[in-house]
Amino acid sequence: MNYGGHYHNAPQNLIEQARAEHLDAVYNLIVNKEERIPDIAQFSTQPLRKDNMLLMQGQEFHSNYWGHLGVLDLDDHFLTPDFSSYRESALASPYPHNGVIAGLAHAQHGLVGYAHPFDGPVNPDKDLELSNALPVDVALGNADYYELVGFSDHRSTADIWYRLLNLGFRLPAGAGTDAMANYASLRGPVGMNRVFIAIVGEITPEKLHSGLKQGRTFVTNGPLLGLEINGKHPGDDIALAKPTTLPYHASLRSIVPIDHFELIFNGRVIASHRLDRSRTQADVSGDVEIPASGWLLLRAWNDHADPKVQDIYPYASTSPVYLTVDRQAPRSPGDATYFVKWLDRVIAGATARSDYNSAQEKQNTLEYLIAARTVFQRRIETPRSTALR
């Protein structure tokens, strides 16, 4: 809400900004600006409601080493300090790592997500530096959602997400604009990137919380999506006794022409749909073959930017519908190997650092990272006959 600009923003102003963008709810993620936290006095566990518009106070935990976290729905207190691993500062240590912060947030019944994750592809074999802890926290159950549409490259961010989904991790799609609401020249308006959550009846913080955590969402900076698989919707499970074919219906409405409108199964495009002449809407039905356990989602995207969407390019995606065939767990040894290599790089980097405050901080960090690596290593070695329990 306030982040380094010349204007002072108040909660009422933020509500008006959100209303102008037709939002039903907005989280103000309170965050540090260098070594101060401009909105710290605004933190509250109670939402502000005006004219059916909800304003809730959350937190963005900054670690330029491990990756930024969005922390929602804390029910007691703001987590301080709000950052770690700031070189040349009193908080230079990479501890607390993001898993520690996630644990503290979960103790307050909060949700934790990775914010604006990746600006390009991640290649563990070639990247000069690799310290992002997303796969660590997903493997150890400390990530509740993923900012698929945010201040990052959406397609690169999705590619990494697909690899995690292929390994059976259930990580819902979220979104965040990363707007500095008192500094209009820096970024787009509040709600430029947003998550839509399926809710019945009155919108409440509790329903938003559960809907996001369950993955009953789609995320977008423009196109609107709808997906139904055999009567099920994003966030739902479908259990099948054997490989089969399922009916689906997909829909799109967009304020700009769309280049690609696709159904994705386990990271692969299995249906690419034609749009109307204006390329702004579609309603399609079909059948999709389900040969093995995994997931399905719908996405829409453009190759290039559009002036009506104040982002790098139009992009939208649903969260997955999850599929289990013959009680078998999803299996993707290649993706597991990818993350083992990733974590080898993270562990090597964390081991080489000499700015922990104590030997215990370093030991705790390395133990956490190694535990996550073990999870991915087991995904390589697990035989195909392993069943879900």
Side-chain angles (χ1 to χ4, degrees):
M1 186 169 68
N2 293 290
Y3 195 78
H6 295 293
Y7 306 100
H8 180 72
N9 214 358
Q12 183 58 47
N13 297 348
L14 189 56
I15 286 177
E16 295 300 329
Q17 289 173 293
R19 181 182 290 114
E21 298 301 324
H22 298 279
L23 295 171
D24 298 302
V26 62
Y27 280 95
N28 173 39
L29 295 194
I30 298 172
V31 65
N32 70 294
K33 176 66 172 170
E34 283 73 53
E35 295 186 50
R36 60 189 179 88
I37 305 173
D39 276 339
I40 187 65
Q42 298 294 338
F43 181 77
S44 173
T45 61
Q46 300 301 313
L48 177 62
R49 186 189 294 270
K50 183 174 182 183
D51 300 330
N52 294 321
M53 166 68 207
L54 274 175
L55 170 60
M56 294 160 290
Q57 303 296 337
Q59 176 173 0
E60 181 175 354
F61 187 88
H62 268 176
S63 169
N64 293 332
Y65 189 73
W66 303 115
H68 292 187
L69 297 180
V71 182
L72 313 180
D73 299 326
L74 297 175
D75 65 11
D76 189 79
H77 62 275
F78 188 85
L79 298 174
T80 57
D82 187 48
F83 56 96
S84 70
S85 194
Y86 271 43
R87 299 292 178 98
E88 310 300 328
S89 80
L91 296 171
S93 173
Y95 190 91
H97 55 73
N98 284 353
V100 173
I101 301 305
L104 294 171
H106 288 151
Q108 294 191 54
H109 309 101
L111 295 178
V112 178
Y114 266 73
H116 44 79
F118 302 103
D119 294 325
V122 175
N123 187 331
D125 293 323
K126 296 183 178 180
D127 288 354
L128 293 178
E129 183 177 355
L130 183 54
S131 60
N132 190 286
L134 167 72
V136 181
D137 293 310
V138 171
L140 298 179
N142 280 324
D144 302 304
Y145 70 93
Y146 185 60
E147 202 168 276
L148 182 62
V149 176
F151 190 22
S152 53
D153 180 69
H154 316 311
R155 294 199 292 269
S156 297
T157 294
D159 288 344
I160 294 164
W161 184 47
Y162 294 168
R163 288 178 178 271
L164 291 166
L165 295 175
N166 284 346
L167 292 167
F169 298 109
R170 298 193 173 188
L171 188 62
T177 299
D178 213 30
M180 287 65 174
N182 70 323
Y183 192 38
S185 65
L186 184 62
R187 194 88 168 33
V190 171
M192 179 184 71
N193 298 322
R194 62 185 70 183
V195 54
F196 285 79
I197 302 176
I199 288 176
V200 177
E202 180 187 8
I203 297 171
T204 65
E206 293 76 17
K207 290 179 181 178
L208 294 171
H209 180 109
S210 61
L212 177 58
K213 187 171 184 178
Q214 294 167 15
R216 304 195 182 283
T217 67
F218 75 87
V219 297
T220 184
N221 58 21
L224 306 179
L225 301 178
L227 175 64
E228 181 177 282
I229 308 287
N230 198 35
K232 300 292 186 177
H233 300 93
D236 284 338
D237 293 272
I238 299 177
L240 303 169
K242 61 182 180 179
T244 188
T245 299
L246 297 178
Y248 73 91
H249 179 76
S251 59
L252 176 143
R253 301 291 185 272
S254 178
I255 60 172
V256 300
I258 294 299
D259 298 333
H260 306 279
F261 180 45
E262 302 164 330
L263 189 66
I264 309 298
F265 175 68
N266 289 4
R268 297 179 291 106
V269 177
I270 58 168
S272 185
H273 298 292
R274 296 178 62 87
L275 303 176
D276 66 348
R277 181 174 298 179
S278 67
R279 305 199 337 266
T280 58
Q281 69 177 51
D283 290 284
V284 298
S285 297
D287 295 304
V288 57
E289 292 185 9
I290 309 299
S293 298
W295 52 274
L296 277 164
L297 61 77
L298 186 69
R299 75 180 181 192
W301 58 282
N302 281 10
D303 297 295
H304 305 292
D306 188 290
K308 290 184 179 180
V309 174
Q310 295 176 300
D311 202 354
I312 52 177
Y313 48 81
Y315 191 93
S317 173
T318 68
S319 279
V321 176
Y322 300 101
L323 304 138
T324 304
V325 178
D326 190 26
R327 301 181 67 245
Q328 300 298 305
R331 186 170 183 270
S332 182
D335 291 317
T337 299
Y338 171 84
F339 286 116
V340 167
K341 292 181 178 180
W342 181 323
L343 293 192
D344 284 341
R345 293 288 308 280
V346 174
I347 291 168
T351 301
R353 290 191 64 146
S354 59
D355 50 1
Y356 295 91
N357 291 317
S358 68
Q360 189 65 52
E361 284 189 352
K362 183 173 185 177
Q363 179 180 336
N364 290 349
T365 299
L366 294 179
E367 287 176 352
Y368 185 74
L369 299 178
I370 291 168
R373 186 193 185 281
T374 300
V375 172
F376 289 108
Q377 183 66 42
R378 288 173 178 164
R379 295 289 201 281
I380 298 174
E381 301 166 352
T382 300
R384 185 173 296 277
S385 60
T386 296
L388 293 173
R389 296 181 184 274

